[in-house]
Amino acid sequence: MTKPILVFGYGNPSRGDDAVAPLLLDYLAEHLDLSNIELLSDFQLQIEHALDIQGRELVVFVDAAVDCPESFTFTPLTPAQDHSYSSHALSPAALLSVYETLGKQPLPPCFLLSVQAEAFELGSGLSERCSANLAEACRFIAAFLKQRP
């Protein structure tokens, strides 16, 4: 049975601040009742992940972002065939476009939680700044998800 809410975090835990999404999922697993929430993690979004959206009432994507103007942003997503559409790794908007081509179900509300990041060196831990941003993002998304039925 598919849980109505999907939180999909993508990033590489071995590349510094790129670990924010998997770490956020760990936080949610420790602080929320997951009876209606599925947590999914991968290094990057791929075409096959369009199937993970099926049967959902809400999808939240989580990623590190160097171009994030604040400690984190939470923005609605719409499908778009962008430059990643034909590559191996997709943007969330391109993944939603793939989902729409399946034509099986309407697209649920989808959001992107971007956490401001700055350091992506292989083998390094979270930067101090990104760690603080992650803490803010964790509190925000936990409160947001607790409001959902």
Coordinates of all heavy atoms in Angstrom, one line a residue, residues 1-75:
M1 N 0.8 -1.2 0.0 CA 0.0 0.0 0.0 C 0.9 1.3 0.0 O 1.8 1.4 0.8 CB -0.9 0.0 1.2 CG -1.9 1.1 1.2 SD -3.0 0.9 2.6 CE -3.4 2.6 2.9
T2 N 0.6 2.2 -0.9 CA 1.4 3.4 -1.0 C 0.9 4.4 0.1 O -0.3 4.7 0.2 CB 1.1 4.0 -2.4 OG1 1.5 3.1 -3.4 CG2 2.0 5.3 -2.6
K3 N 1.9 5.0 0.8 CA 1.6 6.0 1.7 C 1.3 7.3 1.0 O 1.8 7.6 0.0 CB 2.7 6.2 2.7 CG 3.0 4.9 3.6 CD 4.1 5.2 4.5 CE 4.3 3.9 5.4 NZ 5.4 4.1 6.4
P4 N 0.3 8.1 1.5 CA -0.1 9.3 0.8 C 1.0 10.4 0.6 O 0.9 11.2 -0.3 CB -1.3 9.8 1.6 CG -1.2 9.2 2.9 CD -0.4 7.9 2.8
I5 N 1.9 10.5 1.5 CA 2.9 11.5 1.5 C 4.3 10.9 1.2 O 4.7 9.9 1.8 CB 3.0 12.3 2.8 CG1 1.6 13.0 3.0 CG2 4.1 13.4 2.7 CD1 1.5 13.7 4.4
L6 N 5.0 11.5 0.2 CA 6.4 11.1 -0.1 C 7.3 12.2 0.1 O 7.1 13.3 -0.4 CB 6.5 10.6 -1.5 CG 7.9 10.3 -2.1 CD1 8.5 9.1 -1.3 CD2 7.9 10.1 -3.6
V7 N 8.3 12.0 0.9 CA 9.4 13.0 1.0 C 10.6 12.3 0.4 O 11.1 11.3 0.9 CB 9.7 13.3 2.5 CG1 10.8 14.4 2.6 CG2 8.4 13.9 3.2
F8 N 11.1 12.9 -0.7 CA 12.2 12.3 -1.5 C 13.4 13.2 -1.3 O 13.5 14.3 -1.9 CB 11.8 12.2 -2.9 CG 12.7 11.3 -3.8 CD1 12.2 10.3 -4.6 CD2 14.1 11.5 -3.8 CE1 13.0 9.5 -5.4 CE2 14.9 10.7 -4.5 CZ 14.3 9.7 -5.3
G9 N 14.4 12.7 -0.6 CA 15.7 13.4 -0.5 C 16.7 12.9 -1.4 O 16.9 11.7 -1.4
Y10 N 17.4 13.7 -2.1 CA 18.5 13.2 -3.0 C 19.7 14.0 -2.8 O 19.7 15.2 -2.6 CB 18.0 13.2 -4.5 CG 17.5 14.5 -5.0 CD1 18.3 15.3 -5.8 CD2 16.2 14.9 -4.8 CE1 17.9 16.5 -6.3 CE2 15.7 16.1 -5.3 CZ 16.6 16.9 -6.0 OH 16.1 18.1 -6.5
G11 N 20.8 13.3 -2.8 CA 22.1 13.9 -2.6 C 23.1 12.8 -2.1 O 22.7 11.7 -1.8
N12 N 24.4 13.1 -2.1 CA 25.4 12.2 -1.8 C 26.0 12.4 -0.4 O 26.6 13.5 -0.2 CB 26.6 12.3 -2.8 CG 27.6 11.3 -2.7 OD1 27.8 10.7 -1.6 ND2 28.4 11.0 -3.8
P13 N 25.7 11.5 0.5 CA 26.2 11.7 1.9 C 27.7 11.8 2.1 O 28.1 12.3 3.1 CB 25.6 10.5 2.6 CG 24.6 9.8 1.7 CD 25.0 10.3 0.3
S14 N 28.4 11.5 1.0 CA 29.9 11.5 1.1 C 30.5 12.8 0.6 O 31.7 13.0 0.5 CB 30.5 10.3 0.3 OG 30.1 9.1 0.9
R15 N 29.6 13.7 0.2 CA 30.1 15.0 -0.5 C 29.7 16.2 0.3 O 28.9 17.1 -0.2 CB 29.6 15.1 -1.9 CG 30.2 14.0 -2.8 CD 30.0 14.2 -4.3 NE 30.8 15.2 -4.9 CZ 32.1 15.0 -5.2 NH1 32.7 13.8 -4.9 NH2 32.8 15.9 -5.8
G16 N 30.1 16.3 1.5 CA 29.9 17.5 2.3 C 28.4 17.9 2.4 O 27.6 17.1 2.9
D17 N 28.1 19.1 2.0 CA 26.8 19.7 2.2 C 25.7 18.9 1.3 O 24.5 19.1 1.6 CB 26.8 21.2 1.9 CG 27.5 22.0 2.9 OD1 27.9 21.5 3.9 OD2 27.7 23.2 2.6
D18 N 26.2 18.1 0.4 CA 25.2 17.4 -0.4 C 24.5 16.3 0.4 O 23.5 15.7 0.0 CB 25.9 16.7 -1.6 CG 25.0 16.4 -2.8 OD1 24.0 17.2 -2.9 OD2 25.3 15.5 -3.5
A19 N 24.9 16.1 1.7 CA 24.3 15.2 2.6 C 23.0 15.7 3.2 O 22.4 15.0 4.0 CB 25.3 14.7 3.6
V20 N 22.7 17.0 3.0 CA 21.6 17.5 3.7 C 20.2 16.8 3.6 O 19.5 16.6 4.5 CB 21.3 19.1 3.4 CG1 22.5 19.9 3.9 CG2 21.0 19.3 2.0
A21 N 20.0 16.3 2.4 CA 18.7 15.6 2.1 C 18.6 14.3 2.9 O 17.6 14.1 3.6 CB 18.4 15.4 0.7
P22 N 19.6 13.4 2.8 CA 19.6 12.2 3.6 C 19.5 12.5 5.1 O 18.8 11.8 5.9 CB 20.8 11.5 3.2 CG 21.2 12.0 1.9 CD 20.7 13.4 1.8
L23 N 20.2 13.5 5.5 CA 20.2 13.9 7.0 C 18.8 14.4 7.4 O 18.4 14.1 8.5 CB 21.3 14.9 7.3 CG 22.7 14.4 7.2 CD1 23.7 15.5 7.3 CD2 23.0 13.3 8.2
L24 N 18.2 15.1 6.5 CA 16.8 15.6 6.8 C 15.9 14.4 6.9 O 15.0 14.4 7.8 CB 16.4 16.6 5.8 CG 15.0 17.3 6.1 CD1 15.0 18.7 5.7 CD2 13.9 16.6 5.3
L25 N 16.0 13.5 6.1 CA 15.2 12.3 6.2 C 15.4 11.5 7.5 O 14.5 11.0 8.1 CB 15.4 11.3 5.0 CG 15.0 11.9 3.6 CD1 15.3 10.8 2.6 CD2 13.6 12.4 3.5
D26 N 16.7 11.5 7.9 CA 17.0 10.8 9.2 C 16.3 11.6 10.3 O 15.7 11.0 11.3 CB 18.5 10.8 9.5 CG 19.2 9.9 8.6 OD1 18.6 9.0 7.9 OD2 20.5 10.1 8.5
Y27 N 16.3 12.9 10.3 CA 15.6 13.7 11.3 C 14.1 13.4 11.3 O 13.5 13.2 12.4 CB 15.8 15.2 11.0 CG 15.1 16.1 11.9 CD1 15.7 16.6 13.1 CD2 13.8 16.6 11.6 CE1 15.0 17.4 14.0 CE2 13.1 17.4 12.5 CZ 13.7 17.8 13.6 OH 13.0 18.7 14.5
L28 N 13.5 13.4 10.1 CA 12.0 13.1 10.0 C 11.7 11.7 10.6 O 10.7 11.5 11.3 CB 11.5 13.2 8.6 CG 11.6 14.6 8.0 CD1 11.1 14.6 6.6 CD2 10.8 15.6 8.8
A29 N 12.6 10.7 10.3 CA 12.4 9.4 10.8 C 12.4 9.3 12.3 O 11.7 8.5 12.9 CB 13.4 8.4 10.2
E30 N 13.2 10.2 12.9 CA 13.3 10.2 14.4 C 12.2 11.1 15.1 O 11.9 10.8 16.2 CB 14.6 10.8 14.8 CG 15.8 9.9 14.5 CD 17.1 10.5 14.8 OE1 17.2 11.4 15.7 OE2 18.2 10.0 14.3
H31 N 11.6 12.0 14.4 CA 10.7 13.0 15.0 C 9.3 13.0 14.6 O 8.5 13.7 15.1 CB 11.3 14.4 14.8 CG 12.6 14.7 15.5 ND1 13.8 14.4 15.0 CD2 12.8 15.1 16.7 CE1 14.7 14.7 15.8 NE2 14.2 15.1 16.9
L32 N 8.9 12.2 13.6 CA 7.6 12.1 13.1 C 7.0 10.7 13.1 O 7.7 9.7 13.0 CB 7.5 12.6 11.6 CG 7.8 14.1 11.4 CD1 7.6 14.4 9.9 CD2 6.9 15.0 12.2
D33 N 5.7 10.7 13.2 CA 4.9 9.5 13.0 C 4.9 9.2 11.4 O 4.4 10.1 10.7 CB 3.5 9.6 13.5 CG 2.6 8.5 13.1 OD1 3.1 7.4 12.6 OD2 1.4 8.7 13.3
L34 N 5.5 8.2 11.0 CA 5.6 7.9 9.6 C 4.5 7.0 9.0 O 4.7 6.4 7.9 CB 7.0 7.3 9.2 CG 8.2 8.2 9.6 CD1 9.5 7.5 9.3 CD2 8.1 9.5 8.9
S35 N 3.4 6.9 9.7 CA 2.3 6.0 9.3 C 1.8 6.4 7.9 O 1.3 5.6 7.1 CB 1.2 5.8 10.3 OG 0.7 7.1 10.6
N36 N 1.8 7.7 7.6 CA 1.3 8.2 6.3 C 2.4 8.8 5.5 O 2.1 9.5 4.5 CB 0.2 9.3 6.6 CG -1.1 8.7 7.1 OD1 -1.4 7.6 6.8 ND2 -1.7 9.4 8.0
I37 N 3.6 8.7 5.9 CA 4.7 9.3 5.2 C 5.8 8.3 4.8 O 6.2 7.5 5.6 CB 5.4 10.4 6.1 CG1 4.4 11.4 6.5 CG2 6.6 11.0 5.3 CD1 5.0 12.4 7.6
E38 N 6.2 8.3 3.5 CA 7.3 7.4 3.0 C 8.5 8.3 2.8 O 8.4 9.4 2.2 CB 6.9 6.7 1.7 CG 8.1 5.8 1.3 CD 7.8 5.0 0.0 OE1 6.6 5.0 -0.4 OE2 8.7 4.4 -0.5
L39 N 9.6 7.9 3.3 CA 10.9 8.6 3.1 C 11.7 7.8 2.1 O 11.9 6.6 2.2 CB 11.6 8.7 4.4 CG 10.9 9.4 5.6 CD1 11.8 9.3 6.8 CD2 10.5 10.8 5.3
L40 N 12.1 8.5 1.1 CA 12.9 7.8 0.0 C 14.2 8.7 -0.3 O 14.1 9.9 -0.3 CB 12.1 7.8 -1.3 CG 12.6 7.0 -2.5 CD1 13.0 5.6 -2.2 CD2 11.6 7.1 -3.6
S41 N 15.3 8.0 -0.4 CA 16.5 8.7 -0.7 C 17.3 8.0 -1.8 O 17.2 6.8 -2.0 CB 17.4 8.6 0.6 OG 18.6 9.3 0.4
D42 N 18.0 8.9 -2.6 CA 18.8 8.4 -3.7 C 19.9 9.4 -3.9 O 19.8 10.6 -3.5 CB 18.0 8.1 -4.9 CG 18.7 7.0 -5.8 OD1 19.9 6.8 -5.7 OD2 17.9 6.4 -6.6
F43 N 20.9 9.1 -4.7 CA 21.9 10.1 -5.0 C 21.4 11.1 -6.0 O 21.9 12.3 -5.9 CB 23.2 9.4 -5.7 CG 24.0 8.6 -4.7 CD1 24.1 7.2 -4.8 CD2 24.6 9.2 -3.6 CE1 24.9 6.5 -3.9 CE2 25.4 8.5 -2.7 CZ 25.5 7.1 -2.8
Q44 N 20.5 10.8 -6.9 CA 20.0 11.7 -7.9 C 18.6 11.2 -8.3 O 18.3 10.1 -8.2 CB 20.9 11.9 -9.0 CG 21.2 10.6 -9.8 CD 22.4 10.7 -10.7 OE1 23.1 11.7 -10.7 NE2 22.6 9.7 -11.6
L45 N 17.9 12.1 -8.9 CA 16.6 11.8 -9.5 C 16.8 11.1 -10.9 O 17.6 11.6 -11.7 CB 15.7 13.0 -9.6 CG 15.3 13.7 -8.3 CD1 14.5 15.0 -8.6 CD2 14.5 12.8 -7.4
Q46 N 16.0 10.1 -11.1 CA 16.1 9.4 -12.4 C 14.7 9.1 -12.9 O 13.7 9.2 -12.1 CB 16.8 8.1 -12.2 CG 18.3 8.3 -11.7 CD 19.0 7.0 -11.4 OE1 18.6 5.9 -11.9 NE2 19.9 7.0 -10.5
I47 N 14.6 8.8 -14.2 CA 13.3 8.6 -14.8 C 12.4 7.6 -14.0 O 11.2 7.8 -13.9 CB 13.4 8.2 -16.3 CG1 14.0 9.4 -17.1 CG2 12.1 7.7 -16.9 CD1 14.4 9.0 -18.5
E48 N 13.0 6.6 -13.5 CA 12.3 5.5 -12.8 C 11.6 6.1 -11.6 O 10.6 5.5 -11.1 CB 13.2 4.4 -12.4 CG 13.8 3.7 -13.6 CD 15.1 4.3 -14.2 OE1 15.5 5.4 -13.7 OE2 15.6 3.8 -15.2
H49 N 12.1 7.2 -11.0 CA 11.4 7.7 -9.8 C 10.1 8.3 -10.1 O 9.3 8.6 -9.2 CB 12.4 8.8 -9.2 CG 13.6 8.1 -8.6 ND1 14.8 8.6 -8.9 CD2 13.7 7.1 -7.7 CE1 15.7 7.8 -8.2 NE2 15.1 7.0 -7.5
A50 N 9.7 8.5 -11.4 CA 8.3 9.0 -11.7 C 7.3 8.0 -11.1 O 6.2 8.4 -10.7 CB 8.2 9.2 -13.2
L51 N 7.6 6.7 -11.1 CA 6.7 5.7 -10.6 C 6.5 5.9 -9.1 O 5.4 5.5 -8.6 CB 7.2 4.3 -10.9 CG 7.4 4.0 -12.4 CD1 8.0 2.6 -12.5 CD2 6.0 4.0 -13.0
D52 N 7.4 6.5 -8.4 CA 7.3 6.7 -6.9 C 6.3 7.7 -6.6 O 5.8 7.8 -5.4 CB 8.6 7.0 -6.3 CG 9.7 5.9 -6.4 OD1 9.3 4.8 -6.1 OD2 10.8 6.2 -6.8
I53 N 5.9 8.5 -7.6 CA 4.9 9.6 -7.3 C 3.5 9.1 -7.4 O 2.6 9.7 -6.8 CB 5.1 10.7 -8.4 CG1 6.5 11.3 -8.2 CG2 4.1 11.8 -8.3 CD1 6.9 12.3 -9.3
Q54 N 3.3 8.0 -8.1 CA 1.9 7.4 -8.3 C 1.3 7.1 -6.9 O 1.9 6.6 -6.0 CB 2.0 6.1 -9.1 CG 2.3 6.3 -10.5 CD 2.3 5.0 -11.3 OE1 3.0 4.1 -10.9 NE2 1.6 5.0 -12.4
G55 N 0.0 7.5 -6.9 CA -0.8 7.2 -5.7 C -0.5 8.1 -4.5 O -1.0 7.9 -3.4
R56 N 0.2 9.2 -4.7 CA 0.5 10.1 -3.6 C -0.5 11.3 -3.6 O -1.1 11.7 -4.6 CB 1.9 10.7 -3.8 CG 3.0 9.7 -4.0 CD 3.2 8.8 -2.8 NE 4.3 7.9 -3.1 CZ 4.9 7.1 -2.2 NH1 4.4 7.1 -0.9 NH2 5.8 6.3 -2.5
E57 N -0.6 11.9 -2.4 CA -1.4 13.1 -2.2 C -0.5 14.3 -2.1 O -1.0 15.4 -2.2 CB -2.3 12.9 -0.9 CG -3.3 11.8 -1.1 CD -4.1 11.6 0.2 OE1 -4.0 12.4 1.1 OE2 -4.8 10.5 0.3
L58 N 0.7 14.1 -1.8 CA 1.7 15.2 -1.6 C 3.1 14.6 -1.8 O 3.4 13.5 -1.3 CB 1.6 15.8 -0.2 CG 2.6 16.8 0.2 CD1 2.5 18.1 -0.5 CD2 2.6 17.0 1.7
V59 N 3.9 15.4 -2.5 CA 5.3 15.0 -2.7 C 6.2 16.2 -2.4 O 6.0 17.3 -2.8 CB 5.6 14.5 -4.1 CG1 7.1 14.1 -4.3 CG2 4.7 13.3 -4.5
V60 N 7.2 15.9 -1.5 CA 8.2 17.0 -1.2 C 9.6 16.4 -1.6 O 10.0 15.4 -1.1 CB 8.2 17.3 0.3 CG1 9.3 18.4 0.6 CG2 6.8 17.8 0.7
F61 N 10.3 17.2 -2.5 CA 11.6 16.8 -2.8 C 12.6 17.7 -2.0 O 12.2 18.8 -1.7 CB 11.9 17.2 -4.3 CG 11.1 16.3 -5.3 CD1 9.9 16.8 -5.8 CD2 11.6 15.1 -5.7 CE1 9.1 16.0 -6.6 CE2 10.8 14.3 -6.5 CZ 9.6 14.8 -7.0
V62 N 13.7 17.1 -1.6 CA 14.6 17.8 -0.7 C 16.0 17.7 -1.4 O 16.5 16.6 -1.7 CB 14.7 17.2 0.7 CG1 15.6 18.0 1.6 CG2 13.3 17.1 1.3
D63 N 16.7 18.9 -1.4 CA 18.0 18.9 -2.1 C 18.9 20.0 -1.5 O 18.3 21.1 -1.0 CB 17.9 19.0 -3.6 CG 19.2 18.8 -4.3 OD1 20.1 18.1 -3.8 OD2 19.3 19.2 -5.5
A64 N 20.2 19.9 -1.6 CA 21.1 21.0 -1.3 C 21.2 21.9 -2.5 O 21.0 21.5 -3.6 CB 22.5 20.4 -1.0
A65 N 21.3 23.2 -2.3 CA 21.4 24.2 -3.4 C 22.4 25.3 -3.1 O 22.3 26.0 -2.0 CB 20.0 24.8 -3.6
V66 N 23.3 25.6 -4.0 CA 24.2 26.7 -3.8 C 23.6 28.0 -4.2 O 24.0 29.0 -3.7 CB 25.5 26.5 -4.7 CG1 26.3 25.3 -4.1 CG2 25.2 26.3 -6.1
D67 N 22.5 28.0 -5.0 CA 21.9 29.2 -5.4 C 20.7 29.6 -4.6 O 19.9 30.4 -4.9 CB 21.5 29.2 -6.9 CG 20.6 28.0 -7.2 OD1 20.3 27.2 -6.3 OD2 20.1 28.0 -8.3
C68 N 20.5 29.0 -3.4 CA 19.4 29.3 -2.5 C 19.6 30.6 -1.8 O 20.6 30.8 -1.2 CB 19.3 28.1 -1.5 SG 17.9 28.2 -0.5
P69 N 18.7 31.6 -2.0 CA 18.9 32.9 -1.4 C 18.8 33.0 0.1 O 19.2 34.0 0.7 CB 17.8 33.7 -2.1 CG 16.7 32.7 -2.4 CD 17.4 31.4 -2.7
E70 N 18.2 32.0 0.7 CA 18.0 32.0 2.2 C 18.5 30.7 2.7 O 19.0 29.9 2.0 CB 16.5 32.2 2.5 CG 15.9 33.5 1.9 CD 14.4 33.6 2.1 OE1 13.9 33.0 3.0 OE2 13.8 34.2 1.2
S71 N 18.4 30.5 4.0 CA 18.9 29.3 4.6 C 18.2 28.1 4.0 O 18.8 27.0 3.8 CB 18.7 29.3 6.1 OG 17.4 29.5 6.5
F72 N 16.9 28.3 3.6 CA 16.2 27.2 2.9 C 15.0 27.9 2.2 O 14.6 29.0 2.6 CB 15.7 26.1 3.7 CG 14.6 26.5 4.7 CD1 13.3 26.3 4.3 CD2 14.8 26.9 5.9 CE1 12.2 26.7 5.1 CE2 13.8 27.3 6.8 CZ 12.5 27.1 6.4
T73 N 14.6 27.3 1.1 CA 13.3 27.8 0.4 C 12.4 26.6 0.2 O 12.9 25.4 0.2 CB 13.6 28.4 -1.0 OG1 14.3 27.4 -1.8 CG2 14.5 29.7 -0.8
F74 N 11.1 26.9 0.2 CA 10.1 25.8 0.0 C 9.2 26.3 -1.1 O 8.4 27.3 -0.9 CB 9.3 25.6 1.3 CG 8.4 24.5 1.3 CD1 8.9 23.2 1.2 CD2 7.0 24.7 1.4 CE1 8.0 22.1 1.2 CE2 6.1 23.6 1.4 CZ 6.6 22.3 1.3
T75 N 9.3 25.8 -2.3 CA 8.6 26.3 -3.5 C 7.8 25.2 -4.1 O 8.1 24.0 -4.2 CB 9.6 26.8 -4.5 OG1 10.5 25.8 -4.8 CG2 10.3 28.0 -3.9

